Amino acid sequence: MLLSKSCVYGLRAALFLANQEHGKFIPIRQMSDKLEISFHFLTKILQQLTAEGILESFKGPNGGVRLIKRGEQIPLIDVVLAIDGSELLTECALGLPGCGVKEPCPLHDKWAEARDGIRSMLEESTLTELVQKGRDENLRLTSENGFDILFEVKEGV
Amino acid sequence: MLLSKSCVYGLRAALFLANQEHGKFIPIRQMSDKLEISFHFLTKILQQLTAEGILESFKGPNGGVRLIKRGEQIPLIDVVLAIDGSELLTECALGLPGCGVKEPCPLHDKWAEARDGIRSMLEESTLTELVQKGRDENLRLTSENGFDILFEVKEGV
DNA sequence: TGTTTATGAGAGTCTTTTATCCAAAATAGG
DNA sequence: CCTATTTTGGATAAAAGACTCTCATAAACA
Ligand code: SF4
Ligand code: SF4
């Protein structure tokens, strides 16, 4: 997989948060229920996002987790880097350790190009954009559910 | 990793073979030594390539393995598909199971574009091209060695 | 016949990823 | 102060991936 499972879960959670009222703390349990991700597992992932300065958390009743910046200002790449690191954007197509630009292997040019495509995809999309598009076109977010699961919460349906 | 390790090993072996006199059977042991891959592991991988019709094998003394087609006619994608399957070229950026084009998720368009970049990279490069480029520019093939390890064999150095 | 070399099944090890559990700390509210 | 809630962080366990090795079989050769 291009992105690790942790990373995908982190992205989904981030989309979920971007769709909430900004500044409100959302309990992880609520997210894990809605997104159908193991609570404990999601917890670990969100801890990483908190450590990386993407989320902030608050303990106790009415506590939870929220985005530090507004969804408009968070490109997907931030979440990906926080969880999967930069390997995806720097790794070698042929899996050779210790690659240096000085002695590139034959695939390097084309691979770098394809990799940049991935990078720009992640840099140019923000959480809010994705939520917006998901809402407008009623796209899917989990295998079973579409973005409606996000709105249920917000709109109290 | 974009490509599994098995796949990378398979590619390296294929490059090795493409650099040999066409039609000559090369023992797997020779390749595993040169390429610094576990003999048993490489054997498994090459069995797949044989099963997929990329290699043919010959038992007994003077036996080994060779490319069925000439290296010029083998795009990298053939090897990748034989070992890693088509998942790489069809998988979903967000890891959603059972994706249908009918209800794409928001990333779909950009992701499909990036994925096509990878696909064309693998389709447009042939084994021979890579060997050629590696030879001309003395590029690296393993972490330690460059393409010279291929020539040592051929030229009997 | 005996040696070489691939085939195919399979067991075993090691590492990374994915997932679960639990005790501790912080907070809110009664 | 007490209790329920919620994140934190450490530890553990299960699953998947990446190897390593063995063995029995088959084909080719000499
Ligand atoms: S030069 Fe080759 S080994 Fe290095 S990053 Fe590029 S593809 Fe990978
Ligand atoms: S539509 Fe979304 S879920 Fe489907 S393949 Fe594209 S990115 Fe993946």
Side-chain angles (χ1 to χ4, degrees):
Chain A
M1 285 217 311
L2 181 81
L3 304 177
S4 72
K5 218 150 185 190
S6 296
C7 189
V8 169
Y9 290 165
L11 278 171
R12 289 189 206 162
L15 290 176
F16 189 97
L17 289 171
N19 190 58
Q20 301 299 123
E21 186 186 330
H22 183 68
K24 190 178 164 193
F25 284 104
I26 309 295
I28 298 177
R29 182 122 248 154
Q30 198 181 104
M31 280 191 274
S32 69
D33 285 352
K34 285 286 173 187
L35 296 173
E36 295 166 22
I37 302 171
S38 147
F39 168 72
H40 296 288
F41 194 36
L42 184 57
T43 284
K44 291 293 181 217
I45 296 166
L46 297 186
Q47 275 174 17
Q48 290 184 69
L49 293 181
T50 304
E52 295 289 330
I54 292 175
L55 303 181
E56 60 189 340
S57 63
F58 195 76
K59 293 176 182 173
N62 307 321
V65 129
R66 71 182 179 193
L67 296 172
I68 288 184
K69 295 191 285 187
R70 304 190 75 92
E72 293 86 340
Q73 292 162 352
I74 307 179
L76 302 187
I77 188 87
D78 286 5
V79 177
V80 172
L81 288 177
I83 298 176
D84 276 356
S86 60
E87 201 191 343
L88 170 67
L89 302 175
T90 57
E91 75 178 358
C92 155
L94 292 188
L96 298 178
C99 162
V101 183
K102 289 190 178 178
E103 0 175 29
C105 80
L107 274 184
H108 187 79
D109 293 348
K110 288 180 179 175
W111 169 233
E113 211 172 297
R115 224 171 39 182
D116 281 353
I118 296 173
R119 175 199 292 268
S120 60
M121 167 180 91
L122 295 174
E123 278 175 345
E124 289 165 13
S125 310
T126 66
L127 294 180
T128 301
E129 270 173 33
L130 242 67
V131 169
Q132 196 63 47
K133 188 170 176 188
R135 173 192 304 221
D136 290 349
E137 306 180 21
N138 193 27
L139 301 178
R140 54 210 290 279
L141 184 55
T142 76
S143 55
E144 296 297 318
N145 300 107
F147 275 69
D148 48 343
I149 65 172
L150 301 185
F151 312 144
E152 280 171 20
V153 175
K154 193 173 187 179
E155 297 164 5
V157 176
Chain B
M1 283 218 314
L2 183 80
L3 304 177
S4 73
K5 215 126 193 207
S6 295
C7 189
V8 169
Y9 290 165
L11 278 172
R12 290 189 204 163
L15 290 176
F16 188 97
L17 288 171
N19 190 60
Q20 302 297 123
E21 185 185 332
H22 183 67
K24 190 178 166 194
F25 284 103
I26 310 293
I28 298 176
R29 181 122 247 154
Q30 200 181 103
M31 280 191 274
S32 69
D33 285 351
K34 285 286 175 187
L35 296 173
E36 295 166 22
I37 303 171
S38 146
F39 168 72
H40 295 289
F41 194 34
L42 184 58
T43 286
K44 297 287 183 218
I45 296 167
L46 296 186
Q47 275 174 16
Q48 289 183 70
L49 293 181
T50 304
E52 295 289 330
I54 292 174
L55 302 182
E56 58 189 340
S57 62
F58 195 77
K59 294 173 181 174
N62 307 322
V65 128
R66 71 182 180 193
L67 296 172
I68 289 185
K69 295 191 286 188
R70 304 190 75 93
E72 291 87 339
Q73 293 160 353
I74 306 180
L76 302 187
I77 189 85
D78 287 5
V79 177
V80 172
L81 287 177
I83 297 175
D84 275 356
S86 60
E87 201 191 344
L88 170 67
L89 302 175
T90 59
E91 77 177 357
C92 156
L94 292 188
L96 299 177
C99 162
V101 184
K102 289 190 178 180
E103 356 176 29
C105 80
L107 274 184
H108 186 79
D109 293 347
K110 287 181 179 172
W111 169 232
E113 212 173 295
R115 222 171 40 184
D116 281 353
I118 296 173
R119 175 199 291 270
S120 61
M121 166 180 92
L122 295 173
E123 279 175 346
E124 289 165 14
S125 310
T126 65
L127 294 180
T128 301
E129 270 172 33
L130 243 66
V131 169
Q132 196 62 46
K133 186 168 177 189
R135 171 190 308 219
D136 289 349
E137 307 180 20
N138 193 28
L139 301 179
R140 53 210 291 280
L141 184 55
T142 75
S143 55
E144 295 299 316
N145 300 108
F147 275 70
D148 48 342
I149 65 172
L150 302 185
F151 311 142
E152 281 173 17
V153 174
K154 192 171 189 179
E155 295 165 7
V157 174

